[in-house]
Amino acid sequence: MGDMAAFIQGLPKAELHVHIEGTFEPALMFEIAGRHGVTLPYASVADLAAAYEFGNLQEFLDLYYQGMNVLIAEQDFYDLTWAYLQRARAQNVLHTEIFFDPQAHTARGVAFTTVVDGISRALDDGRETLGISSRLIMCFLRDKSAAEADAALDQALDHRDRIIGVGLDSAEIGHPPAKFRDVFARARAAGLRTVAHAGEEAPADYVWQALDDLGVERIDHGNRALDDDALVERLARDGIALTMCPLSNLRLRVIDDMRRHPLRALMERGVRVTINSDDPAYFGGYVNENFRAVQEALSLSKAELAAIARTSFTASFLDQADKDAFVARLDAHAASA
Ligand code: HPA
Ligand code: ZN
């Protein structure tokens, strides 16, 4: 391992943007399909992996929703989450804030409780046996109605002890944040934290809406913010962190070349940025592969990488004492490099 790769591997970090259903590796998908006697429309693990060629977000989402159809039992959600936690811990991810898409499961007749219980049991075991800290964020599917989001929020409030916040994902264009103003207001009133995907494929206006109509604390992706100077200033002034996902952006053709990724330009203008994996089973890498790809393309220094990892903790939903403890570990690593 090269010196920079070793530095990235050893860097203590938090992951703030990962969809648990997007960590579903082909081999596990075949195993779980087999358990339920379901036949996947692919002859082998290699055939399935070879289908992961995407022209845009929707082409990915079609396979993402198809893949998760084999998740039925509580144990399936446990195994999915457990596999991710082991990989994350092996990459020195010390804290992770995981998204899940309950509407994609309840629409298939899988109970909300089955999903939350399976994921939560793995998170508890991860805390005990791997020492990995975690939180769970429920995402609303923005291509479904506001009424359906309301129903999902009601179910989340029945599991209030397990769910720290809400987010907004799925097909972006044509489904602006403002559509979900009321349900986000209700989530905030209930004490839930808030984030939203915005500015991945849709323009900067969607980022403004996420801030002004939804009141979110972080923006997921936010690539298109760079098109709008006033928005960049707003993000910098208010300390709104962006959870960026470089390999996802490349694979979904949000960018055509990693050297044109907006992360460095945003950071230089005072915006808080983090590096995350989004849907690692589909996009060719977990957090460290994302760090390496963007480091090489943008020639980021160790000090810049450490600053990004520091932001991953300070922009997390941990309490201040936990943030301070993680940042101290990070500073020790950066000082020894
Ligand atoms: N964008 C929007 N929705 C998603 C994504 C994404 O990158 N991954 C999983 N759901
Ligand atoms: Zn995402």
Side-chain angles (χ1 to χ4, degrees):
M1 197 184 294
D3 176 53
M4 193 55 92
F7 178 77
I8 289 168
Q9 166 63 36
L11 194 59
K13 55 192 94 68
E15 173 146 65
L16 304 181
H17 184 163
V18 58
H19 303 263
I20 200 64
E21 298 91 345
T23 71
F24 203 5
E25 291 286 346
L28 184 60
M29 199 180 288
F30 268 85
E31 184 189 322
I32 291 179
R35 264 181 219 175
H36 298 300
V38 174
T39 306
L40 296 174
Y42 302 92
S44 66
V45 167
D47 269 16
L48 174 55
Y52 294 171
E53 273 281 345
F54 313 113
N56 56 36
L57 173 59
Q58 187 61 55
E59 289 182 16
F60 155 70
L61 290 170
D62 291 344
L63 284 192
Y64 170 79
Y65 292 123
Q66 180 191 80
M68 68 178 79
N69 279 338
V70 303
L71 298 168
I72 296 164
E74 193 253 22
Q75 188 66 40
D76 303 341
F77 290 93
Y78 177 94
D79 292 345
L80 172 70
T81 307
W82 182 248
Y84 162 71
L85 291 173
Q86 286 178 297
R87 285 178 181 266
R89 188 65 194 80
Q91 293 204 341
N92 223 20
V93 171
L94 304 184
H95 174 68
T96 179
E97 301 192 350
I98 296 176
F99 294 139
F100 75 117
D101 284 334
Q103 290 166 272
H105 308 301
T106 56
R108 303 181 286 113
V110 177
F112 192 97
T113 306
T114 300
V115 180
V116 173
D117 287 357
I119 296 171
S120 299
R121 188 160 60 84
L123 298 182
D124 289 347
D125 285 353
R127 203 166 291 119
E128 281 188 21
T129 60
L130 304 174
I132 187 165
S133 162
S134 57
R135 296 289 187 275
L136 190 55
I137 298 174
M138 175 183 81
C139 284
F140 301 117
L141 299 185
R142 68 199 310 156
D143 47 351
K144 307 251 186 205
S145 70
E148 286 167 278
D150 252 313
L153 179 57
D154 288 338
Q155 292 186 290
L157 294 175
D158 290 339
H159 299 81
R160 186 65 189 81
D161 55 327
R162 291 299 194 177
I163 297 171
I164 194 167
V166 298
L168 186 64
D169 68 3
S170 200
E172 187 179 18
I173 293 172
H175 306 287
K179 175 176 159 188
F180 298 94
R181 186 188 292 117
D182 293 348
V183 70
F184 269 72
R186 200 156 70 84
R188 279 190 280 113
L192 288 162
R193 313 298 295 264
T194 54
V195 298
H197 283 54
E200 181 183 16
E201 285 190 337
D205 176 52
Y206 278 45
V207 180
W208 283 110
Q209 287 185 32
L211 298 174
D212 292 337
D213 293 296
L214 305 185
V216 300
E217 300 172 73
R218 298 193 301 244
I219 296 288
D220 299 313
H221 295 298
N223 295 55
R224 298 287 300 276
L226 196 56
D227 299 344
D228 183 333
D229 287 344
L231 177 57
V232 172
E233 280 161 36
R234 165 78 181 277
L235 292 168
R237 188 193 68 211
D238 290 353
I240 304 287
L242 304 186
T243 63
M244 308 201 87
C245 307
L247 289 174
S248 166
N249 296 155
L250 198 60
R251 295 295 291 271
L252 299 186
R253 304 180 196 247
V254 167
I255 54 170
D256 58 10
D257 187 322
M258 194 61 89
R259 287 170 296 185
R260 278 192 277 279
H261 196 281
L263 178 138
R264 178 194 268 288
L266 287 162
M267 194 165 47
E268 283 171 355
R269 294 177 62 181
V271 179
R272 302 169 76 207
V273 299
T274 63
I275 295 174
N276 309 272
S277 70
D278 207 5
D279 302 284
Y282 292 89
F283 300 148
Y286 285 74
V287 170
N288 287 352
E289 287 78 22
N290 275 274
F291 265 86
R292 284 211 300 274
V294 85
Q295 187 281 324
E296 278 171 29
L298 303 179
S299 304
L300 298 172
S301 67
K302 287 180 182 174
E304 286 166 326
L305 296 174
I308 292 165
R310 191 174 293 109
T311 302
S312 73
F313 292 115
T314 60
S316 75
F317 293 146
L318 289 167
D319 63 29
Q320 193 61 47
D322 287 330
K323 290 183 188 182
D324 292 346
F326 283 125
V327 168
R329 286 173 71 174
L330 178 140
D331 286 341
H333 175 77
S336 72

